[in-house]
Amino acid sequence: MAGRRAALKAIDWVAFAERVPPNQRTMFNNLKTRSDAIAAKLTSLPEKPLAIDWSYYRSVVAKAGMVDEFEKKFSALKVPEPVDTQTTIINAQEEEANKSATAYVEASKARIAQYEKQLEKFKNMIPFDQMTIEDLNDTFPETKLDKEKHPYWPHKPIADL
Amino acid sequence: MLAVCVCRCTQCPLEGVDSTSASVLSRCFTRISPVSAILAALCREGHREAETRVPRCCRNLVLHPSDMLSRLVFVSASALKSSGPIGAGVVHASRCLHTSSQSLAPVPPLPEKGGKVRHGIIPEELFQLLYPKTGVTGPYMLGAGLLLYMLSKEIYVINHETFAAASIGAVIIYGVKKFGPSVGAFADKLNEEKVAKAQEVKDVAMSSLTQAIDDEKKEQWRVEGRAMLFDAKRNNVAMLLETNYRERLHMVTNDVKRRLDYQIALQDLNHRLEQEHMINWVEKSVISSITPQQEKESIAKCITDLKALAKATQAKATA
């Protein structure tokens, strides 16, 4: 009996709930309800079954030897433990999740770097009232008027005015 | 003439009127003739160069959006653009000259107000120039003398045009004095609106960027919690296994108990059946052993007994 059961890790459901993004909240709730049901079922079962009162049976049952036979076979019986098939699968899932998570974090960091670069550009640009039109075109290339495509004033389609 | 007027754009041709009126003038001119716009650009560049190279002319280079030159930039930008190639070339040329002799720092902001003028035309520098030698009244004497000289020597001849010029000048001065500030304020407002719009765009962009950065950080933090999910799953699996095992144990015990109890129940049943059978058999045999003779005798006996009992009770009742 000993060493069969891996110690159950205490799970902080509150902290777990904080980290769940809102679009996965239903899945998290389902998981929680399932886990709670399983835990309740586990606690409802006593750990050891009630011991059989052999002396009483021996005194009552008339057939000789039957009770002794039962008792012998019963104590010799070993109930097989259920085989754990899922833990390896779960571990594999965890590996995959870790991989995708690191990839996502990398991408996220790249995005953050991009955003910060743009933020720096905004922070370091000269105030609008000190700009000339050339400075404006340098800072925001999209404001540059395309003189080749539209050679005549106003150098942009009339609809854009 | 027009060109000369515009050239002095930074030194306000009309005294006592602030730079707004001059901007009105220049704006009119630039609207009408792109050529003057080019000249305005030239003068602007020249003025900027002059400003940076001749510091004594610089007043405080304080930035102010209502500076007439910035108004020129924004309001007459369209006029400039039409004379694109020439203006651009000139602007660039002066820019290169500008930067080659000095550092590559960006051009300092345009001065808030144009150069100071007295009586709307005459630059203050002249007065300052002459002050050490001729005092306060010097330039006025110079002006009066020059005027007198030109009139008396008939270098400037008074004719019909003089009166026309005087009347037109009076009307223009009146108009500018009356409407100058409001028009200037209007142009300033246009300018402000443009700047405010750009500023708003910038603010929105910055706030959305910071927000995006925060969101990304939050998502990263969220991702860190993935281990908890797998712990929960493993826990579930372990709990299920444990439950299953306990159920099996219980099942075994219960089954053994049931069988033993069955044996006991079987025994009891047998015992009971035997008992009942025996009783029935004894009863049957007793009843069958009662002969008719015995029956009659027992009935007669019963009757005599009953009579005796009746007599006894009657006696008891009457007594």
Side-chain angles (χ1 to χ4, degrees), chain B residues 255-300:
Chain B
D255 268 353
V256 167
K257 253 213 196 100
R258 257 181 342 124
R259 277 164 217 238
L260 287 172
D261 289 342
Y262 171 74
Q263 291 297 323
I264 294 175
L266 198 63
Q267 271 176 220
D268 287 343
L269 179 69
N270 272 339
H271 198 68
R272 202 155 48 84
L273 279 176
E274 284 170 8
Q275 260 186 334
E276 281 183 13
H277 187 259
M278 243 200 298
I279 290 169
N280 283 347
W281 186 79
V282 165
E283 271 184 14
K284 223 177 359 158
S285 64
V286 164
I287 288 173
S288 59
S289 75
I290 299 177
T291 58
Q293 166 67 15
Q294 262 184 323
E295 208 165 335
K296 263 201 204 124
E297 272 181 28
S298 59
I299 286 176

Side-chain angles (χ1 to χ4, degrees), chain B residues 2-284:
Chain B
L2 272 179
V4 169
C5 233
V6 169
C7 227
R8 297 259 173 72
C9 59
T10 54
Q11 283 86 10
C12 209
L14 296 163
E15 185 251 12
V17 179
D18 60 357
S19 33
T20 60
S21 40
S23 74
V24 172
L25 270 178
S26 5
R27 219 170 312 116
C28 300
F29 293 147
T30 52
R31 282 249 147 81
I32 294 166
S33 64
V35 178
S36 352
I38 300 169
L39 288 165
L42 271 173
C43 300
R44 198 175 346 112
E45 290 306 321
H47 173 71
R48 265 206 246 156
E49 277 183 295
E51 284 281 350
T52 50
R53 284 206 212 134
V54 186
R56 67 176 167 89
C57 294
C58 325
R59 309 297 173 196
N60 49 339
L61 292 178
V62 171
L63 171 73
H64 191 68
S66 63
D67 174 54
M68 47 170 280
L69 287 178
S70 65
R71 280 184 225 150
L72 267 182
V73 170
F74 274 91
V75 177
S76 64
S78 49
L80 250 182
K81 290 281 189 278
S82 64
S83 52
I86 309 171
V90 169
V91 163
H92 281 137
S94 63
R95 258 253 162 116
C96 294
L97 279 175
H98 188 78
T99 53
S100 65
S101 60
Q102 293 190 351
S103 67
L104 289 168
V107 176
L110 303 172
E112 180 177 339
K113 298 262 179 243
K116 281 201 157 292
V117 285
R118 225 188 261 209
H119 306 295
I121 308 182
I122 307 153
E124 188 67 38
E125 283 83 1
L126 181 67
F127 293 82
Q128 299 305 324
L129 183 70
L130 294 175
Y131 179 79
K133 292 284 191 247
T134 53
V136 174
T137 51
Y140 294 104
M141 296 315 298
L142 177 64
L146 270 175
L147 185 62
L148 214 55
Y149 168 68
M150 295 221 297
L151 285 172
S152 70
K153 289 288 198 172
E154 299 249 320
I155 294 173
Y156 176 69
V157 177
I158 292 189
N159 53 12
H160 307 291
E161 300 293 323
T162 313
F163 291 102
S167 333
I168 291 173
V171 168
I172 287 178
I173 291 173
Y174 170 75
V176 168
K177 275 203 159 161
K178 192 92 184 291
F179 304 112
S182 58
V183 170
F186 171 73
D188 281 344
K189 198 157 67 72
L190 289 179
N191 213 5
E192 297 262 349
E193 276 171 20
K194 287 198 177 122
V195 169
K197 218 165 20 143
Q199 186 67 31
E200 193 191 315
V201 162
K202 175 182 168 186
D203 287 341
V204 162
M206 277 182 72
S207 64
S208 68
L209 279 175
T210 38
Q211 180 70 28
I213 289 179
D214 285 340
D215 285 341
E216 290 284 339
K217 292 219 169 91
K218 188 136 197 266
E219 288 302 313
Q220 281 184 11
W221 174 75
R222 283 218 171 110
V223 160
E224 282 170 19
R226 64 187 179 276
M228 286 198 257
L229 169 67
F230 293 105
D231 284 343
K233 280 180 141 181
R234 277 192 281 258
N235 268 10
N236 279 0
V237 164
M239 282 199 282
L240 281 171
L241 291 176
E242 174 70 14
T243 318
N244 201 307
Y245 181 73
R246 284 189 197 175
E247 272 178 6
R248 288 182 188 184
L249 284 177
H250 284 106
M251 197 170 60
V252 162
T253 318
N254 288 346
D255 268 353
V256 167
K257 253 213 196 100
R258 257 181 342 124
R259 277 164 217 238
L260 287 172
D261 289 342
Y262 171 74
Q263 291 297 323
I264 294 175
L266 198 63
Q267 271 176 220
D268 287 343
L269 179 69
N270 272 339
H271 198 68
R272 202 155 48 84
L273 279 176
E274 284 170 8
Q275 260 186 334
E276 281 183 13
H277 187 259
M278 243 200 298
I279 290 169
N280 283 347
W281 186 79
V282 165
E283 271 184 14
K284 223 177 359 158

